[in-house]
Structure formats: structure tokens, C-alpha cells
Amino acid sequence: MRTTANIAAVGGYGYTGYAGAAKFAKNVALFAAAPFIGLVYAAAFPFVAVGMLAWYGVCAARKRAAA
């Protein structure tokens, strides 16, 4: 037996469904959090867009000033 084995990976120590239960719990949590994650992306989009336009404007102004 490897030293990195845990109870869920080793059969014969009782309940072996911990990995499946953890995966199910993670999927439920992500399903519940998905609308809020999408809302954060939608709310952050205008700020990211303005920052990107400002960055490109500064780069273009530097090129024009150098030429």
C-alpha cells in the first residue's frame, strides 16, 4: 500500500463512497454559485473594457510621441 493512500482510495475500510459524495457536493456548490459568478463577470465587464481601452490609448500615445 502506498503511503499517500487515503481511506476513500483503499477498499475494505468501510464506506468507500467519500470521493463520489465529495464530487456531488462540489457540483451542487458550483451549480448554486454559478449565477453569482456570472453576475460578477457581467458587473466587471464595463470596468475591464474601459481599462483595456485606456491601456491601448496609452500605448498608441507612446508610439505617436516616440515617432
Side-chain angles (χ1 to χ4, degrees), residues 5 7 9-11 13-14 18-19 22 24-25 29-31 33-34 37 41-42 44-45 48 50 55-56 60 65 67:
I7 292 175
V10 177
Y13 286 125
Y18 293 118
F24 178 75
L30 287 174
F31 181 78
I37 294 170
Y41 275 112
F45 177 75
V48 172
V50 168
W55 178 262
Y56 283 134

Side-chain angles (χ1 to χ4, degrees), residues 19-58:
K23 185 176 181 181
F24 178 75
K26 184 181 104 173
N27 286 339
V28 169
L30 287 174
F31 181 78
F36 302 106
I37 294 170
L39 182 63
V40 168
Y41 275 112
F45 177 75
F47 301 106
V48 172
V50 168
M52 186 180 67
L53 287 173
W55 178 262
Y56 283 134
V58 168

Side-chain angles (χ1 to χ4, degrees), residues 61-67:
R62 284 184 183 172
K63 281 186 183 179
R64 184 172 273 221

